[in-house]
Amino acid sequence: MALIEFADFSFKYLGADSLALKRIKLTIDEGEYVVITGPSGCGKTTFCRAINALVPQFHRGYVAGNVYTDGKNTRENEVATFASVAGLVFQNPENQLVTLDVEKEIAFGPENLGVAPDEIRRRVEELIDLLDLEELREKHPHEMSGGEQQRVAIAATLALRPKVLVADEPTSNLDPTSAEVILEIIAHLNKRGMAVVLVEHRLDLVAKDASRIILMNKGRIVADGNPREILAMDLCEEIGVGVPKATQVYKRLKTRGVELRNVPLTGVELAELVQEATSR
Amino acid sequence: MIILEDVHYSYDGVYTALRGISLQVDDGERLAVIGANGAGKTTMIKHMNGLLRPQNGRVILDGQDTKFMSVAEIARKVGLVFQNPDHQLFLDSVKEEVEFGLRNLGFTESEAEQRCQGTLASLGLGGFAERSPFTLSGGERKRVALASVLSTEPRFLALDEPTIGQDAHQKNRLAQMLAEMNKRGRTVVVVTHDIEFVIENFPRTVAMAEGQIIADGSTSMVLSNDEVIERCALAPPQMTLAARALRNVFPEVGQRLTLLSELEETIMGILGGA
């Protein structure tokens, strides 16, 4: 059974005049790292909300088809059912933090689901360790930097032991170094077996971690596959996807008759391929 | 011209967000402000349009101390777009939202409508005039907030993280619009983490750390300063990493490559000779 299945799913927000998602059909399996990208307004955020039933149960509208997350239909089970399957992390961590300190923040979710106190304490300590939050233990969330807040928000999400982390542009308010820290944490969680669905425009930062890229445009999936294959397509430039700089150089060289052996995703990969081509 | 003279500011009297900022922005400049989260960038830019007033030091706008000017007076000259569009948007449709500012500044009904339409089209929001901002995506809401200020074309534009949530096409559209306004004499100041956007569009960069300015000069000079890279929490751009890796093997690769086209030519040179 797939971890997430979109079965011909369409959705239109109340008051909107066009569909936000149009007949989406796909499955996402355990352990995958899926990057969702596409132009502004293409349906990426709606896709994330549909995974954990926020669409259509909190954000209402016209629905056709079904989404099954961990085998459960998101139209037929309560939103709370999905909180412990799909953990959502958003762009602005400030909007997500609800309590006054790190420990309470992490404990908040499991307390609400009635997890036993001993088990909660165990999870709090494990997550403080995993996300390197020891120094923040006594800090109020409003005294933390954006990157620190986002680490706490991720810890709070993981406290529910989700099977998939769904992150909607989790680094776009962060400075580059803090962004890198968050993305390293997410890549590490994926290596430990957690599935990741990440929405991002800046593929320079994430393409190297992804096992799969899904390209959306106007509510539809227009390409889905291996990052190198997808980013080598001209379709990316046509619809305005931020192709990594190294991949752009590869494409420009190709139009000038120079084809490197593989499609690079980072500057270092590009340099290696150039070196290989000269056998120096 | 905007002059900040030894500006200090603290939100709570305990933590000092700005510790002596001195900066002169001339008419017609394009200036980027970079720095790590918490460096004081947003606090500084809010001083430029009078939302915050210095606790020590002065802000002088066109020769006049802003201490003696009302927010309304300053707003006629300096337009600010916030980082989070939801702090700015409050009306029922995109059109009302954009026309609100225009009417407040005394534009006639038909001028307001014309400017609104033109700005929405330039920012790729042509079909959105009647939509409620709250049914739009994050990136689209950001552009509505930008449109509401850009449509008034103030003499000074202060934009806090304008590229968040924007795809490559939208970023180009925004850059083009800012360049056009700049050609017409408008001054543009942006606060951003988007280093590629800075390199491609802003000749001058100010780097901030811990409430102070640590570097101010041409963008290429400021961005090749290692202290800036470290204290502003910048990741070196992919093109710089590629150039560094190439330089290890091909000593002929130059020290200061920043642009994609430069790297492309360098590689053509290397492979052409192979």
Side-chain angles (χ1 to χ4, degrees):
Chain A
M1 180 187 72
L3 184 55
I4 298 164
E5 181 184 1
F6 279 70
D8 217 358
F9 186 76
S10 301
F11 182 75
K12 187 173 82 150
Y13 288 100
L14 269 186
D17 26 50
S18 58
L19 290 166
L21 294 178
K22 294 176 190 161
R23 309 198 66 165
I24 303 291
K25 277 182 245 182
L26 64 86
T27 58
I28 294 173
D29 290 319
E30 289 190 19
E32 285 196 73
Y33 188 138
V34 181
V35 167
I36 313 272
T37 195
S40 154
C42 70
K44 304 182 294 290
T45 295
T46 309
F47 181 89
C48 289
R49 289 172 176 164
I51 292 174
N52 77 340
L54 284 178
V55 159
Q57 298 200 39
F58 178 75
H59 299 279
R60 295 188 174 274
Y62 161 84
V63 192
N66 294 292
V67 176
Y68 302 92
T69 296
D70 202 26
K72 299 183 197 78
N73 190 324
T74 59
R75 295 170 71 172
E76 292 166 1
N77 293 277
E78 283 179 50
V79 176
T81 321
F82 298 98
S84 54
V85 182
L88 253 68
V89 174
F90 302 97
Q91 186 182 105
N92 199 345
E94 262 179 84
N95 295 348
Q96 209 167 346
L97 301 178
V98 292
T99 69
L100 299 179
D101 72 57
V102 171
E103 291 178 25
K104 288 200 188 84
E105 193 63 47
I106 301 173
F108 184 81
E111 272 170 1
N112 278 303
L113 291 186
V115 175
D118 281 356
E119 169 63 15
I120 294 178
R121 228 164 280 136
R122 228 168 44 81
R123 291 187 191 179
V124 167
E125 293 310 316
E126 182 195 309
L127 288 163
I128 283 179
D129 188 46
L130 182 68
L131 291 167
D132 199 15
L133 300 173
E134 194 57 55
E135 282 172 27
L136 305 180
R137 219 185 253 268
E138 305 296 325
K139 254 192 184 173
H140 188 287
H142 297 289
E143 296 165 353
M144 294 177 197
S145 72
E148 290 170 345
Q149 287 180 348
Q150 193 62 287
R151 257 151 58 205
V152 175
I154 292 174
T157 302
L158 296 180
L160 296 172
R161 295 264 193 270
K163 294 185 175 175
V164 54
L165 183 71
V166 181
D168 190 356
E169 297 195 52
T171 67
S172 47
N173 283 338
L174 305 183
D175 61 54
T177 305
S178 312
E180 240 171 47
V181 170
I182 296 297
L183 292 170
E184 274 167 22
I185 288 169
I186 292 175
H188 176 69
L189 292 167
N190 176 250
K191 287 204 183 84
R192 288 176 22 139
M194 178 172 293
V196 172
V197 175
L198 181 90
V199 171
E200 185 57 70
H201 284 293
R202 297 168 303 169
L203 299 177
D204 252 331
L205 301 175
V206 297
K208 62 183 192 316
D209 296 327
S211 57
R212 173 177 174 191
I213 290 183
I214 294 176
L215 211 60
M216 293 184 70
N217 192 25
K218 296 180 181 161
R220 290 182 201 281
I221 289 174
V222 292
D224 178 355
N226 171 291
R228 288 174 212 276
E229 283 165 23
I230 299 287
L231 293 172
M233 294 165 68
D234 291 335
L235 179 65
C236 293
E237 283 81 4
E238 282 161 27
I239 65 175
V241 166
V243 175
K245 297 281 181 205
T247 315
Q248 290 183 35
V249 173
Y250 166 89
K251 290 182 172 186
R252 288 190 186 204
L253 293 173
K254 196 171 164 187
T255 61
R256 296 172 70 174
V258 173
E259 190 165 356
L260 299 172
R261 186 185 52 82
N262 199 355
V263 183
L265 299 176
T266 65
V268 172
E269 282 182 7
L270 172 65
E272 283 166 5
L273 287 162
V274 170
Q275 191 187 342
E276 186 188 300
T278 61
S279 66
R280 242 206 266 183
Chain B
M1 191 200 296
I2 304 177
I3 300 174
L4 280 73
E5 268 180 15
D6 197 28
V7 170
H8 286 73
Y9 190 83
S10 168
Y11 287 93
D12 56 5
V14 181
Y15 176 73
T16 308
L18 295 183
R19 301 188 295 154
I21 296 289
S22 295
L23 177 70
Q24 176 173 332
V25 186
D26 288 330
D27 288 351
E29 275 203 273
R30 270 176 292 153
L31 167 73
V33 180
I34 61 171
N37 289 122
K41 306 181 297 294
T42 297
T43 309
M44 180 178 87
I45 208 174
K46 283 182 175 169
H47 278 81
M48 289 186 175
N49 85 330
L51 267 184
L52 297 176
R53 305 304 175 103
Q55 289 159 345
N56 273 309
R58 300 195 297 170
V59 177
I60 296 158
L61 180 57
D62 290 339
Q64 204 180 350
D65 191 331
T66 56
K67 203 193 300 178
F68 307 112
M69 298 170 79
S70 67
V71 175
E73 274 177 278
I74 301 172
R76 283 178 189 280
K77 293 185 171 177
V78 186
L80 174 73
V81 181
F82 293 100
Q83 175 169 352
N84 185 343
D86 298 336
H87 293 167
Q88 197 162 346
L89 303 176
F90 64 104
L91 288 167
D92 293 332
S93 77
V94 168
K95 184 168 180 285
E96 286 173 72
E97 194 65 60
V98 175
E99 289 183 2
F100 179 81
L102 289 163
R103 291 220 180 86
N104 271 349
L105 291 177
F107 287 96
T108 66
E109 195 90 350
S110 69
E111 274 174 333
E113 212 171 310
Q114 209 179 344
R115 276 176 173 259
C116 171
Q117 272 181 12
T119 311
L120 291 180
S122 304
L123 288 172
L125 292 168
F128 293 73
E130 304 301 331
R131 291 275 294 273
S132 160
F134 298 96
T135 65
L136 302 181
S137 79
E140 289 163 351
R141 284 205 302 281
K142 180 87 199 185
R143 294 208 299 285
V144 175
L146 283 163
S148 68
V149 172
L150 293 182
S151 63
T152 68
E153 205 166 334
R155 292 217 355 255
F156 298 95
L157 277 162
L159 314 176
D160 200 348
E161 295 285 3
T163 64
I164 285 183
Q166 304 307 318
D167 60 57
H169 282 337
Q170 304 301 351
K171 241 194 246 188
N172 289 341
R173 275 195 172 127
L174 176 65
Q176 200 183 338
M177 202 172 166
L178 294 178
E180 281 164 15
M181 288 190 176
N182 182 247
K183 260 191 217 139
R184 291 196 291 264
R186 306 306 187 251
T187 306
V188 184
V189 179
V190 299
V191 162
T192 186
H193 291 309
D194 190 336
I195 292 304
E196 315 275 353
F197 190 67
V198 174
I199 293 172
E200 284 159 23
N201 300 293
F202 293 86
R204 177 178 167 199
T205 295
V206 165
M208 292 183 68
E210 293 165 34
Q212 294 183 313
I213 290 175
I214 59 166
D216 178 357
S218 77
T219 294
S220 61
M221 189 192 87
V222 171
L223 290 180
S224 49
N225 176 336
D226 286 340
E227 189 199 350
V228 169
I229 299 284
E230 187 176 332
R231 295 187 67 198
C232 294
L234 301 178
Q238 287 298 324
M239 291 302 91
T240 305
L241 294 175
R244 256 186 226 162
L246 283 173
R247 204 175 302 131
N248 288 338
V249 189
F250 308 97
E252 65 267 35
V253 175
Q255 274 294 337
R256 276 210 21 234
L257 285 169
T258 36
L259 296 175
L260 193 145
S261 54
E262 290 169 338
L263 193 75
E264 179 190 343
E265 291 313 320
T266 304
I267 293 176
M268 283 305 288
I270 291 171
L271 294 181

